[in-house]
């Protein structure tokens, strides 16, 4: 009886929340040191990763396709990002340069002498015309891609800048760093327009949500925070990791966020419900890179164990995407509403809960072996491309902890049997969990349809109420005008009478 009730409860929760558990799809081997960054191509056919082995890897996601190893940087690669059309990949490095690569076997690249210290991050603007970089020289710089020229610098940080990101419309830049601040910049005036300072340690990563109305930031104090930049208020505060948070990525829908931490785990947060829903294991040591694909169906992770893992999201496996898109159109009109679109609207902390699902994965795709790696780019570069410095050489000899990352002792190997243990020693596999009774399925689908109808009805009523308010306002404005005209006529009549007398 206990098994039946819990199993039914689990299925009911899956239907209500609209997603199933993430699964590990592929495991890429090719890096020889810590994996520090990752990004998917816009067409989801390639995955780029950077590493402390100084190499950029382009993994072609087609089964049995070759992977490319790009050689050119002379120090640790710290950031990587595809251009919006996928024709270029930008990489930043501790060798103080940024490179633009062609993600093909040609391996051609262009070098930007970007900063006077290590470059921590790089990102394209949404139109692909600009790059933004963050550096240990305490500056954020913006570059023109087409002419390959420096445009301007943003200088207000007082310590290393770890990350900088464009807003979706390109009008703002968010940056964070070891001065324990997150700064918001206006790209037209090139001025710092806001500062968020509620941190107990370094601010390690920052990014905008898909609508550009909020920014999230992570910290070495184990926290994740989400700020509404229209009201300048902290609206969500998560303390779900037991060590510093190194990276995170918004799901394209804006409803979920995945984070990677030095506690060797990844956490998936439901931002609409304001709670932790998954804890993912798989890396032995700090997780330093996480990234959702552009369509949100996949996400990748990399860490201090030199592994690159690719996961299938499964958040919308019940195919309610059409319903969600209808709701999204209603709740995210153009222009955006003045109300906050990330809930809850009042700031409060969210801590890890015992009810969250923990996943200890095995690779789902056991047919595809490690891809053949083709090394390209070595002969294309001369020593004149990047100036070597004694200080850079000395930094290269330092341990990995100098980047702010620390190795931890590997966890014991998890049980590879992907079965959930139930009372009485019984086990049930994930496949059995997908065997949902048809009666329950149809009942819940009817509920969802009725909710959709109610939602549409409310939307129509809201539109009619808005029209009514507009008409009333117009009538009031007309009455005010008539009253003013009447007063003017009366005044002119009285003036005329006075003159006649």
């Amino acid at each position: 009886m206990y098994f039946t009730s819990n199993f039914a409860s689990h299925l009911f929760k899956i239907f209500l929340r609209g997603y199933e558990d993430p699964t590990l799809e592929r495991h890429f081997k090719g890096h020889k040191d810590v994996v520090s960054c990752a990004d998917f191509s816009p067409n989801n056919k390639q995955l780029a990763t950077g590493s402390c082995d100084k190499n950029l890897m382009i993994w072609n996601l087609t089964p049995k396709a070759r992977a490319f190893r790009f050689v050119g940087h002379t120090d640790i690669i710290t950031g990587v990002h595809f251009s919006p059309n996928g024709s270029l990949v930008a990489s930043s490095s501790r060798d103080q340069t940024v490179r633009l690569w062609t993600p093909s076997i040609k391996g051609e690249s262009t070098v930007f002498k970007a900063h006077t210290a290590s470059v921590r991050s790089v990102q394209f603007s949404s139109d692909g015309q600009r790059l933004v970089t963050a550096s240990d020289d305490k500056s954020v710089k913006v570059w023109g891609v087409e002419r390959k020229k420096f445009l301007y610098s943003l200088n207000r940080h007082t310590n290393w800048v770890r990350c900088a990101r464009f807003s979706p419309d390109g009008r703002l830049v968010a940056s964070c760093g070891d001065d324990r601040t997150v700064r918001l910049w206006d790209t037209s005036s090139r001025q710092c327009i806001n500062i968020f300072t509620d941190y107990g340690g370094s601010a390690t990563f920052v990014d905008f949500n898909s609508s550009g109305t909020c920014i999230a930031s992570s910290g070495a104090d184990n926290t994740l925070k989400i700020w509404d930049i229209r009201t300048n208020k902290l609206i969500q505060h998560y303390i779900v990791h037991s060590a510093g948070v190194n990276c995170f990525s918004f799901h394209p829908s804006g409803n979920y966020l995945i984070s990677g931490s030095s506690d060797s785990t990844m956490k998936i947060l439901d931002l609409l419900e304001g709670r932790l829903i998954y804890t993912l294991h798989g890396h032995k040591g700090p997780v330093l890179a996480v990234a959702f694909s552009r369509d949100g169906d996949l996400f990748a992770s990399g860490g201090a164990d030199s592994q690159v893992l690719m996961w299938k999201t499964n958040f919308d496996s019940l195919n309610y995407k059409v319903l969600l898109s209808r709701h999204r159109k209603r709740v995210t009109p153009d222009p955006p509403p003045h109300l906050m679109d990330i809930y809850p609207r009042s700031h409060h902390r969210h801590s890890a809960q015992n009810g969250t699902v923990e996943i200890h994965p095995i690779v789902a795709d056991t047919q595809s072996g490690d891809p053949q790696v083709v090394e390209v780019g070595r002969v294309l570069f001369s020593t004149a491309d990047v100036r070597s410095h004694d200080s850079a050489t000395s930094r290269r000899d330092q341990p990995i902890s100098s980047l702010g990352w620390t190795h931890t002792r590997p966890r014991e190997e998890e049980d590879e049997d992907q079965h959930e243990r139930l009372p009485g020693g019984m086990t049930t596999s994930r496949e059995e969990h997908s065997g949902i009774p048809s009666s329950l399925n149809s009942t819940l689908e009817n509920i969802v349809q009725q909710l959709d109808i109610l939602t549409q009805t409310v939307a129509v009523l809201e539109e009619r109420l808005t029209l009514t308010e507009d008409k009333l306002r117009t009538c009031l404005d007309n009455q005010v005008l008539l009253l003013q005209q009447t007063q003017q006529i009366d005044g002119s009549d009285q003036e005329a009478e006075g003159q006649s007398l």
Side-chain angles (χ1 to χ4, degrees):
M1 183 67 181
Y2 182 86
F3 162 71
T4 305
S5 61
N6 277 273
F7 183 59
S9 175
H10 178 72
L11 293 177
F12 188 67
K13 286 179 180 179
I14 288 177
F15 264 91
L16 287 182
R17 68 193 184 191
Y19 46 69
E20 291 184 351
D21 299 344
T23 55
L24 180 58
E25 286 290 294
R26 295 186 65 180
H27 176 206
F28 297 105
K29 292 182 179 179
H31 283 299
K32 301 174 183 178
D33 207 335
V34 174
V35 178
S36 55
C37 48
D39 189 45
F40 283 90
S41 64
N43 61 9
N44 299 321
K45 293 183 178 180
Q46 292 181 317
L47 171 66
T49 56
S51 169
C52 293
D53 63 11
K54 310 174 189 177
N55 296 325
L56 170 70
M57 296 290 299
I58 301 292
W59 310 94
N60 293 297
L61 304 185
T62 305
K64 299 182 179 180
R66 293 179 298 177
F68 301 134
R69 178 185 289 119
F70 293 102
V71 181
H73 280 295
T74 60
D75 210 327
I76 292 170
I77 295 178
T78 56
V80 64
H81 195 247
F82 273 94
S83 63
N85 61 9
S87 62
L88 294 172
V89 177
S91 61
S92 59
S93 171
R94 208 167 67 175
D95 65 11
Q96 305 180 12
T97 69
V98 168
R99 284 180 180 262
L100 291 182
W101 307 82
T102 302
S104 66
I105 198 169
K106 293 181 180 180
E108 299 172 346
S109 74
T110 302
V111 182
F112 289 71
K113 184 61 177 66
H115 292 270
T116 59
S118 300
V119 186
R120 292 275 186 163
S121 75
V122 63
Q123 188 203 29
F124 282 95
S125 59
S126 57
D127 60 7
Q129 299 299 310
R130 292 171 294 165
L131 285 173
V132 62
T133 56
S135 171
D136 286 357
D137 63 10
K138 306 178 187 179
S139 73
V140 175
K141 295 185 185 295
V142 177
W143 306 79
V145 174
E146 186 176 355
R147 296 186 178 182
K148 302 176 178 60
K149 288 187 177 181
F150 167 75
L151 298 179
Y152 56 88
S153 183
L154 306 173
N155 300 295
R156 290 287 294 276
H157 282 282
T158 58
N159 208 329
W160 294 353
V161 188
R162 290 183 175 265
C163 185
R165 290 289 186 266
F166 280 113
S167 62
D169 60 12
R171 293 186 294 180
L172 300 173
V173 166
S175 62
C176 67
D178 284 9
D179 59 2
R180 302 186 179 187
T181 68
V182 174
R183 293 177 181 268
L184 201 61
W185 310 82
D186 186 322
T187 57
S188 58
S189 66
R190 304 176 187 179
Q191 298 296 317
C192 179
I193 59 176
N194 208 347
I195 306 175
F196 305 98
T197 58
D198 189 17
Y199 288 91
S202 299
T204 57
F205 200 88
V206 67
D207 202 1
F208 288 86
N209 67 343
S210 56
S211 66
T213 58
C214 297
I215 58 172
S217 59
S218 59
D221 58 357
N222 311 353
T223 62
L224 274 164
K225 298 178 181 179
I226 299 179
W227 310 78
D228 189 299
I229 61 175
R230 297 161 296 184
T231 60
N232 299 326
K233 291 183 178 179
L234 177 65
I235 57 174
Q236 290 190 356
H237 182 186
Y238 295 92
I239 307 177
V240 293
H241 286 285
S242 58
V245 183
N246 301 312
C247 53
F248 61 83
S249 178
F250 276 105
H251 189 271
S253 68
N255 298 336
Y256 305 99
L257 182 144
I258 183 171
S259 59
S261 168
S262 293
D263 64 9
S264 306
T265 69
M266 291 164 283
K267 307 279 186 176
I268 296 178
L269 307 172
D270 186 324
L271 301 180
L272 295 181
E273 296 185 9
R275 67 186 184 94
L276 171 67
I277 53 177
Y278 285 113
T279 298
L280 305 179
H281 301 271
H283 288 281
K284 301 177 181 66
V287 181
L288 302 172
V290 291
F292 275 109
S293 62
R294 299 298 199 272
D295 60 6
D297 289 342
L298 300 170
F299 62 93
S301 60
D305 55 5
S306 306
Q307 293 190 104
V308 177
L309 306 180
M310 187 176 75
W311 307 72
K312 189 169 179 60
T313 304
N314 292 333
F315 290 159
D316 296 308
S317 59
L318 295 179
N319 199 22
Y320 290 132
K321 289 184 178 180
V322 175
L323 175 60
L324 290 175
S325 65
R326 292 176 187 169
H327 292 175
R328 194 176 299 117
K329 288 179 181 178
R330 188 181 70 85
V331 301
T332 56
D334 188 20
H338 67 282
L339 297 176
M340 302 177 193
D341 59 355
I342 287 187
Y343 295 85
R345 293 180 182 174
S346 60
H347 150 58
H348 62 279
R349 295 190 177 191
H350 305 268
S351 300
Q353 303 172 5
N354 295 330
T356 60
V357 179
E358 296 216 7
I359 297 178
H360 304 274
I362 59 174
V363 180
D365 179 10
T366 58
Q367 304 300 318
S368 300
D370 296 332
Q372 177 187 355
V373 177
V374 179
E375 189 168 299
V376 294
R378 184 178 298 278
V379 299
L380 298 176
F381 307 102
S382 65
T383 56
D385 283 345
V386 181
R387 293 186 299 171
S388 60
H389 299 273
D390 294 337
S391 59
T393 304
S394 64
R395 283 197 302 273
R396 289 197 294 271
D397 295 333
Q398 294 177 358
I400 187 64
S401 59
S402 64
L403 273 178
W405 306 326
T406 55
H407 287 286
T408 59
R409 293 180 59 191
R411 294 184 300 105
E412 294 182 359
E413 290 291 328
E414 302 291 346
D415 184 1
E416 293 186 355
D417 184 10
Q418 196 181 6
H419 287 73
E420 292 193 22
R421 300 198 174 276
L422 302 169
M426 298 177 62
T427 62
T428 178
S429 64
R430 296 188 189 280
E431 287 76 11
E432 290 174 339
H433 278 213
S434 62
I436 300 168
S438 59
S439 58
L440 178 60
N441 190 354
S442 60
T443 301
L444 290 170
E445 286 182 349
N446 287 333
I447 293 174
V448 171
Q449 290 174 0
Q450 294 300 320
L451 288 173
D452 188 27
I453 293 172
L454 288 173
T455 301
Q456 293 175 358
T457 303
V458 170
V460 171
L461 291 174
E462 287 177 348
E463 291 178 359
R464 292 181 177 177
L465 181 60
T466 302
L467 291 173
T468 303
E469 290 175 347
D470 292 340
K471 289 180 179 179
L472 287 173
R473 189 177 294 107
T474 302
C475 291
L476 289 173
D477 292 341
N478 291 334
Q479 287 181 355
V480 170
L481 289 173
L482 289 173
L483 182 61
Q484 291 175 348
Q485 291 174 356
T486 302
Q487 291 175 347
Q488 290 176 356
I489 293 172
D490 291 343
S492 60
D493 290 344
Q494 290 176 0
E495 185 178 346
E497 289 177 359
Q499 290 176 353
S500 62
L501 291 174

Coordinates of all heavy atoms in Angstrom, one line a residue, residues 403-450:
L403 N 43.0 30.6 -9.9 CA 41.8 31.1 -10.7 C 40.6 31.3 -9.8 O 39.6 31.7 -10.3 CB 41.5 30.1 -11.8 CG 42.2 30.3 -13.1 CD1 41.8 29.2 -14.1 CD2 42.0 31.6 -13.7
G404 N 40.7 30.9 -8.5 CA 39.6 30.9 -7.7 C 38.9 29.6 -7.6 O 37.8 29.5 -7.0
W405 N 39.4 28.6 -8.2 CA 38.9 27.2 -8.2 C 39.7 26.4 -7.3 O 41.0 26.4 -7.3 CB 38.8 26.6 -9.6 CG 38.2 27.5 -10.6 CD1 37.1 28.3 -10.4 CD2 38.5 27.6 -12.0 NE1 36.7 28.9 -11.5 CE2 37.6 28.5 -12.5 CE3 39.5 27.0 -12.8 CZ2 37.6 28.9 -13.9 CZ3 39.5 27.4 -14.1 CH2 38.6 28.3 -14.6
T406 N 39.1 25.5 -6.5 CA 39.9 24.6 -5.7 C 39.5 23.2 -5.9 O 38.3 22.9 -6.1 CB 39.6 25.0 -4.2 OG1 38.2 24.9 -3.9 CG2 40.2 26.4 -3.9
H407 N 40.4 22.3 -5.9 CA 40.1 20.9 -6.1 C 39.6 20.3 -4.7 O 40.1 20.7 -3.7 CB 41.3 20.1 -6.5 CG 41.7 20.3 -7.9 ND1 41.0 19.8 -8.9 CD2 42.7 21.1 -8.5 CE1 41.6 20.1 -10.1 NE2 42.6 20.9 -9.8
T408 N 38.7 19.4 -4.8 CA 38.2 18.7 -3.6 C 38.5 17.3 -3.8 O 38.6 16.8 -4.9 CB 36.7 19.0 -3.3 OG1 36.0 18.5 -4.5 CG2 36.4 20.4 -3.1
R409 N 38.5 16.5 -2.7 CA 38.7 15.1 -2.8 C 37.5 14.5 -3.6 O 36.4 14.8 -3.3 CB 38.8 14.4 -1.5 CG 40.1 14.9 -0.7 CD 40.1 14.2 0.7 NE 40.1 12.8 0.5 CZ 39.9 11.9 1.5 NH1 39.8 12.4 2.7 NH2 39.9 10.6 1.3
P410 N 37.7 13.6 -4.5 CA 36.6 13.0 -5.3 C 35.7 12.2 -4.4 O 36.1 11.6 -3.4 CB 37.3 12.0 -6.3 CG 38.7 12.5 -6.3 CD 39.0 13.1 -5.0
R411 N 34.4 12.4 -4.7 CA 33.4 11.6 -3.9 C 33.6 10.1 -4.3 O 34.1 9.7 -5.3 CB 32.0 12.0 -4.3 CG 31.6 13.4 -3.9 CD 30.2 13.7 -4.2 NE 29.9 13.6 -5.6 CZ 29.3 12.6 -6.2 NH1 28.8 11.6 -5.5 NH2 29.0 12.6 -7.5
E412 N 33.1 9.2 -3.4 CA 33.1 7.8 -3.7 C 32.2 7.5 -4.9 O 31.2 8.2 -5.1 CB 32.6 7.0 -2.5 CG 33.6 7.1 -1.3 CD 33.1 6.3 -0.1 OE1 32.0 5.6 -0.3 OE2 33.7 6.2 0.9
E413 N 32.6 6.6 -5.7 CA 31.8 6.2 -6.9 C 30.3 5.9 -6.4 O 30.1 5.2 -5.5 CB 32.4 5.0 -7.6 CG 33.7 5.3 -8.3 CD 33.5 6.2 -9.4 OE1 32.4 6.1 -10.0 OE2 34.4 7.0 -9.7
E414 N 29.4 6.5 -7.1 CA 28.0 6.3 -6.8 C 27.5 5.0 -7.5 O 28.1 4.5 -8.4 CB 27.1 7.4 -7.4 CG 27.4 8.8 -6.8 CD 27.1 8.9 -5.4 OE1 26.3 8.0 -4.9 OE2 27.6 9.9 -4.7
D415 N 26.5 4.4 -6.9 CA 26.0 3.1 -7.5 C 25.5 3.4 -8.9 O 24.7 4.2 -9.1 CB 24.8 2.7 -6.6 CG 24.2 1.3 -7.0 OD1 24.8 0.7 -8.0 OD2 23.2 0.9 -6.4
E416 N 26.0 2.6 -9.8 CA 25.7 2.8 -11.2 C 24.3 2.2 -11.6 O 23.9 2.4 -12.7 CB 26.8 2.2 -12.1 CG 28.1 2.9 -12.0 CD 29.1 2.4 -13.0 OE1 28.8 1.4 -13.7 OE2 30.2 2.9 -13.1
D417 N 23.7 1.5 -10.7 CA 22.4 1.0 -11.0 C 21.4 2.1 -10.9 O 21.2 2.7 -9.9 CB 22.0 -0.1 -10.0 CG 20.7 -0.8 -10.3 OD1 20.2 -0.6 -11.3 OD2 20.3 -1.6 -9.4
Q418 N 20.7 2.4 -12.1 CA 19.8 3.6 -12.1 C 18.4 3.1 -11.8 O 17.4 3.3 -12.5 CB 19.8 4.1 -13.6 CG 19.2 5.5 -13.6 CD 19.2 6.0 -15.0 OE1 19.6 5.3 -15.9 NE2 18.8 7.3 -15.2
H419 N 18.3 2.5 -10.6 CA 17.0 2.1 -10.0 C 16.7 2.9 -8.8 O 17.6 3.2 -8.0 CB 17.0 0.6 -9.7 CG 17.0 -0.2 -11.0 ND1 18.1 -0.4 -11.8 CD2 16.0 -1.0 -11.5 CE1 17.8 -1.2 -12.8 NE2 16.5 -1.6 -12.6
E420 N 15.5 3.2 -8.5 CA 15.1 3.8 -7.3 C 14.7 2.8 -6.3 O 13.9 1.8 -6.6 CB 13.8 4.8 -7.5 CG 14.2 5.9 -8.4 CD 13.1 7.0 -8.3 OE1 12.3 7.0 -7.4 OE2 13.0 7.8 -9.3
R421 N 15.3 2.9 -5.1 CA 15.0 1.9 -4.1 C 13.7 2.3 -3.3 O 13.5 3.4 -2.9 CB 16.2 1.8 -3.1 CG 17.5 1.4 -3.8 CD 18.5 0.9 -2.8 NE 19.7 0.5 -3.6 CZ 19.8 -0.7 -4.1 NH1 18.8 -1.6 -4.0 NH2 20.9 -1.1 -4.8
L422 N 12.9 1.2 -3.1 CA 11.6 1.4 -2.5 C 11.5 0.6 -1.2 O 12.4 -0.3 -1.0 CB 10.5 1.0 -3.4 CG 10.5 1.7 -4.8 CD1 9.5 1.0 -5.7 CD2 10.1 3.1 -4.5
P423 N 10.6 0.9 -0.3 CA 10.5 0.1 0.9 C 10.4 -1.4 0.7 O 9.7 -1.8 -0.3 CB 9.2 0.7 1.6 CG 9.0 2.0 1.0 CD 9.6 1.9 -0.4
G424 N 11.0 -2.2 1.5 CA 10.9 -3.6 1.4 C 11.9 -4.2 0.5 O 11.9 -5.4 0.1
G425 N 12.9 -3.3 0.0 CA 14.0 -3.8 -0.9 C 13.6 -3.9 -2.3 O 14.3 -4.3 -3.2
M426 N 12.3 -3.5 -2.7 CA 11.9 -3.5 -4.0 C 12.6 -2.4 -4.8 O 13.0 -1.4 -4.3 CB 10.4 -3.3 -4.1 CG 9.6 -4.4 -3.5 SD 7.8 -4.1 -3.5 CE 7.6 -4.1 -5.3
T427 N 12.7 -2.5 -6.1 CA 13.3 -1.5 -7.0 C 12.4 -1.3 -8.1 O 11.6 -2.2 -8.6 CB 14.7 -1.9 -7.5 OG1 14.5 -3.1 -8.3 CG2 15.6 -2.2 -6.4
T428 N 12.4 0.0 -8.6 CA 11.6 0.3 -9.8 C 12.5 1.2 -10.7 O 13.2 2.0 -10.3 CB 10.3 1.0 -9.5 OG1 9.6 1.3 -10.7 CG2 10.6 2.3 -8.7
S429 N 12.5 0.9 -12.0 CA 13.3 1.7 -13.0 C 12.6 2.9 -13.4 O 11.4 3.0 -13.2 CB 13.7 0.8 -14.2 OG 12.5 0.4 -14.9
R430 N 13.3 3.8 -14.1 CA 12.7 5.0 -14.7 C 11.6 4.6 -15.7 O 10.7 5.4 -15.9 CB 13.7 5.9 -15.3 CG 14.7 6.4 -14.2 CD 15.6 7.5 -14.8 NE 16.7 7.9 -13.9 CZ 16.5 8.7 -12.9 NH1 15.3 9.2 -12.7 NH2 17.5 9.0 -12.1
E431 N 11.9 3.6 -16.5 CA 11.0 3.2 -17.5 C 9.6 2.8 -16.9 O 8.5 3.1 -17.5 CB 11.5 2.0 -18.3 CG 12.6 2.3 -19.2 CD 14.0 2.5 -18.5 OE1 14.0 2.2 -17.3 OE2 14.9 3.0 -19.1
E432 N 9.6 2.2 -15.7 CA 8.3 1.9 -15.1 C 7.6 3.1 -14.7 O 6.4 3.2 -14.6 CB 8.6 1.0 -13.9 CG 9.0 -0.4 -14.3 CD 9.4 -1.3 -13.1 OE1 9.7 -0.7 -12.0 OE2 9.4 -2.5 -13.2
H433 N 8.4 4.2 -14.3 CA 7.8 5.4 -13.9 C 7.0 6.1 -15.0 O 6.1 6.9 -14.8 CB 8.8 6.4 -13.4 CG 9.2 6.1 -11.9 ND1 9.5 7.1 -11.0 CD2 9.2 4.9 -11.2 CE1 9.8 6.5 -9.9 NE2 9.6 5.2 -10.0
S434 N 7.4 5.8 -16.3 CA 6.7 6.4 -17.4 C 5.4 5.7 -17.8 O 4.7 6.1 -18.6 CB 7.7 6.4 -18.6 OG 8.0 5.1 -19.0
G435 N 5.1 4.5 -17.1 CA 3.9 3.8 -17.4 C 2.7 4.4 -16.7 O 2.3 3.9 -15.7
I436 N 2.2 5.5 -17.2 CA 1.1 6.3 -16.5 C -0.2 5.8 -16.9 O -0.5 5.6 -18.1 CB 1.3 7.8 -16.9 CG1 2.7 8.3 -16.5 CG2 0.2 8.6 -16.2 CD1 3.0 9.6 -17.0
P437 N -1.1 5.5 -15.9 CA -2.4 5.1 -16.2 C -3.2 6.0 -17.1 O -3.1 7.2 -16.9 CB -3.1 5.0 -14.8 CG -2.0 4.9 -13.8 CD -0.8 5.6 -14.4
S438 N -3.9 5.5 -18.1 CA -4.5 6.3 -19.1 C -5.6 7.2 -18.5 O -5.9 8.3 -18.9 CB -5.1 5.4 -20.2 OG -6.0 4.5 -19.7
S439 N -6.3 6.6 -17.5 CA -7.4 7.4 -16.8 C -6.8 8.6 -16.1 O -7.4 9.7 -16.2 CB -8.1 6.5 -15.8 OG -7.2 6.0 -14.8
L440 N -5.7 8.5 -15.4 CA -5.1 9.6 -14.8 C -4.6 10.6 -15.8 O -4.8 11.8 -15.6 CB -3.9 9.1 -13.9 CG -3.1 10.2 -13.2 CD1 -4.1 11.0 -12.2 CD2 -2.0 9.6 -12.4
N441 N -4.1 10.1 -16.9 CA -3.6 11.0 -18.0 C -4.7 11.8 -18.5 O -4.6 13.0 -18.6 CB -2.9 10.1 -19.0 CG -2.2 10.9 -20.1 OD1 -2.2 12.1 -20.0 ND2 -1.5 10.3 -21.0
S442 N -5.8 11.2 -18.9 CA -6.9 11.9 -19.5 C -7.5 12.9 -18.5 O -7.9 14.0 -18.9 CB -8.0 10.9 -20.0 OG -8.5 10.2 -18.9
T443 N -7.6 12.5 -17.2 CA -8.2 13.4 -16.2 C -7.4 14.7 -16.1 O -7.9 15.8 -16.1 CB -8.3 12.7 -14.9 OG1 -9.1 11.5 -15.0 CG2 -8.9 13.6 -13.8
L444 N -6.0 14.5 -16.0 CA -5.2 15.7 -15.8 C -5.1 16.5 -17.1 O -5.1 17.8 -17.0 CB -3.7 15.2 -15.5 CG -3.6 14.6 -14.1 CD1 -2.3 14.0 -13.9 CD2 -3.8 15.7 -13.0
E445 N -5.2 15.9 -18.3 CA -5.3 16.7 -19.5 C -6.5 17.5 -19.6 O -6.5 18.7 -20.0 CB -5.2 15.7 -20.7 CG -3.8 15.2 -20.9 CD -3.7 14.3 -22.2 OE1 -4.8 14.0 -22.7 OE2 -2.6 13.9 -22.6
N446 N -7.7 16.9 -19.1 CA -8.9 17.7 -19.0 C -8.8 18.9 -18.1 O -9.3 20.0 -18.4 CB -10.1 16.8 -18.6 CG -10.5 15.8 -19.7 OD1 -10.3 16.1 -20.9 ND2 -11.0 14.7 -19.3
I447 N -8.1 18.7 -16.9 CA -7.9 19.8 -16.0 C -7.1 20.9 -16.6 O -7.4 22.1 -16.5 CB -7.2 19.2 -14.7 CG1 -8.2 18.3 -14.0 CG2 -6.8 20.4 -13.8 CD1 -7.5 17.6 -12.8
V448 N -6.0 20.5 -17.3 CA -5.2 21.5 -18.0 C -6.0 22.2 -19.0 O -5.8 23.5 -19.2 CB -3.9 20.8 -18.6 CG1 -3.2 21.8 -19.5 CG2 -3.0 20.2 -17.5
Q449 N -6.8 21.5 -19.8 CA -7.6 22.2 -20.8 C -8.6 23.2 -20.2 O -8.8 24.3 -20.7 CB -8.4 21.2 -21.7 CG -7.5 20.3 -22.6 CD -8.2 19.2 -23.2 OE1 -9.4 19.1 -23.0 NE2 -7.5 18.4 -24.0
Q450 N -9.2 22.8 -19.1 CA -10.1 23.7 -18.4 C -9.4 25.0 -17.9 O -9.9 26.1 -18.0 CB -10.9 23.0 -17.3 CG -11.8 21.9 -17.7 CD -12.9 22.4 -18.6 OE1 -13.5 23.5 -18.4 NE2 -13.2 21.7 -19.7

